Amino acid sequence: MNFKKVVVAGGGVLGSQIAYQSAFWGFDVTIWLRSEASIGRATPKLARLKDIYVNTLEAMKTSTVYPRGFATDKLSDEEIDAMKERAIKAHDSLTLTTSYEEAFKDADFVIECIAEDPKQKIAFYTEMAKYLPDKTVIATNSSTMLPSTFASYTGRPEKYLALHFANEIWKNNTAEIMGHAGTDSKYYDEVVDFAKAIHMVPLCLKKEQPGYILNTMLVPFLTAAEYLAANDVADPETIDQTWMLGTGAPAGPFRILDIVGLTTAYNIVIMKPEAKDPNSNAGKIAAMLKKYIDEGKTGVNAGEGFYKYK
């Protein structure tokens, strides 16, 4: 694996985390963003991640359980302090740009993390392809879409596949890796090696599956909870309490939705044809999510979603 310069396209919840984790483990990272307004939204996310990394590392001095994206073995206080310095350096080393040429002209590896909207992804790949050198490998972090849908638009289908992360990747260090029929195994293996290099656990899929492994299980669970709230069966807090008391889980579905981001959840549900009918379950769920989004309550990074956060 010869990746050195990594470009993350998109600075949302996961895009910012992937960029930060990659910089933390020594990669030269650029974040491509669509507009100056997008840069303005990404900047506080990155500052928040710096605080999380530094504070989490400091807490490791008195803990016996470490976030798996940092370490699995006991570290000395001196080693932890060195990692804290690395976390600060990672933040300061990140480059944010709206320029296709600046971002992609020398990229080794691009991870696409833009909105779950096929039209936006196709437009992005088509334009990006004009600036990429031959060497560049591309991965999509799409939560639900298949790489075969977009492979031809990249201009290098053999170097294109999917690399999906769970949220809070420094703790939940999964990397689901999924090729399409035209993906060259050489580049698949390079992405596996990259995942290991940023302390993820590669989870290799044998074939394409919408939602990969994690979201194939998670999305129906969250949709069921959204159905209950959108149909006024119970409020989000009660639904979460029911799940947590009944299963011993540390968080309920609406707390998870806040972490994922309500915009992502909305983009997933509106792709369903039945969402156009306001009386359908998908239509009711879309309306509920849009109300929160329109009020600026998009989840943890906004300070409020279904719950309020400091």
Side-chain angles (χ1 to χ4, degrees):
M1 189 268 294
N2 295 316
F3 298 163
K4 294 180 181 178
K5 182 172 181 180
V6 175
V7 181
V8 177
V13 173
L14 269 171
S16 58
Q17 292 180 25
I18 296 164
Y20 209 106
Q21 183 76 5
S22 300
F24 179 75
W25 287 110
F27 289 89
D28 176 4
V29 180
T30 295
I31 305 175
W32 177 86
L33 295 148
R34 196 181 303 277
S35 65
E36 291 297 328
S38 298
I39 290 179
R41 289 189 291 270
T43 300
K45 291 187 182 80
L46 298 170
R48 177 174 174 268
L49 285 170
K50 179 176 72 171
D51 291 342
I52 288 173
Y53 274 51
V54 170
N55 293 336
T56 301
L57 286 162
E58 179 63 25
M60 285 166 54
K61 292 180 178 179
T62 56
S63 176
T64 57
V65 180
Y66 292 169
R68 298 185 301 270
F70 290 159
T72 55
D73 298 322
K74 178 68 177 175
L75 301 176
S76 67
D77 287 358
E78 291 76 15
E79 289 173 317
I80 290 173
D81 286 337
M83 292 180 75
K84 287 168 60 180
E85 291 179 10
R86 188 193 305 168
I88 295 169
K89 182 180 178 182
H91 175 270
D92 296 342
S93 72
L94 291 167
T95 299
L96 280 65
T97 182
T98 60
S99 167
Y100 277 91
E101 182 176 10
E102 180 184 357
F104 302 113
K105 66 181 179 181
D106 194 34
D108 294 313
F109 185 38
V110 174
I111 306 173
E112 172 267 303
C113 302
I114 65 174
E116 290 289 88
D117 177 349
K119 291 181 180 178
Q120 290 189 46
K121 289 185 187 293
I122 289 170
F124 167 73
Y125 288 134
T126 303
E127 183 64 20
M128 178 180 65
K130 301 174 184 177
Y131 300 90
L132 290 177
D134 290 340
K135 65 178 180 177
T136 311
V137 178
I138 308 169
T140 178
N141 181 57
S142 171
S143 299
T144 56
M145 299 179 190
L146 300 177
S148 58
T149 305
F150 307 104
S152 63
Y153 298 101
T154 67
R156 60 197 65 217
E158 76 285 356
K159 296 186 178 79
Y160 180 65
L161 65 162
L163 174 62
H164 182 252
F165 296 84
N167 198 39
E168 297 188 336
I169 69 173
W170 63 93
K171 296 191 297 184
N172 306 318
N173 63 331
T174 62
E176 295 176 279
I177 302 168
M178 180 172 73
H180 61 92
T183 303
D184 188 317
S185 60
K186 171 185 175 182
Y187 304 111
Y188 188 104
D189 292 343
E190 286 187 349
V191 173
V192 170
D193 289 342
F194 170 78
K196 293 176 181 177
I198 61 169
H199 284 225
M200 299 294 108
V201 177
L203 303 170
C204 299
L205 280 74
K206 297 179 179 180
K207 62 181 181 179
E208 287 190 306
Q209 163 64 30
Y212 309 75
I213 301 168
L214 178 61
N215 282 332
T216 295
M217 297 183 286
L218 179 62
V219 170
F221 165 63
L222 297 179
T223 300
E226 291 167 330
Y227 162 84
L228 291 169
N231 284 280
D232 205 28
V233 175
D235 58 54
E237 293 84 355
T238 301
I239 295 167
D240 276 6
Q241 184 181 33
T242 302
W243 182 257
M244 293 163 68
L245 290 173
T247 67
F254 288 96
R255 186 77 69 176
I256 294 171
L257 281 163
D258 277 355
I259 294 171
V260 169
L262 273 62
T263 302
T264 296
Y266 176 75
N267 286 335
I268 290 172
V269 74
I270 61 171
M271 287 192 294
K272 297 179 179 180
E274 60 268 30
K276 296 178 181 179
D277 178 2
N279 295 315
S280 69
N281 287 326
K284 291 177 182 178
I285 290 170
M288 176 185 70
L289 293 171
K290 191 172 188 305
K291 180 178 183 295
Y292 279 85
I293 292 167
D294 288 347
E295 294 172 355
K297 301 174 182 177
T298 57
V300 171
N301 279 309
E304 186 172 0
F306 291 101
Y307 297 91
K308 291 184 177 180
Y309 303 88
K310 294 182 180 179

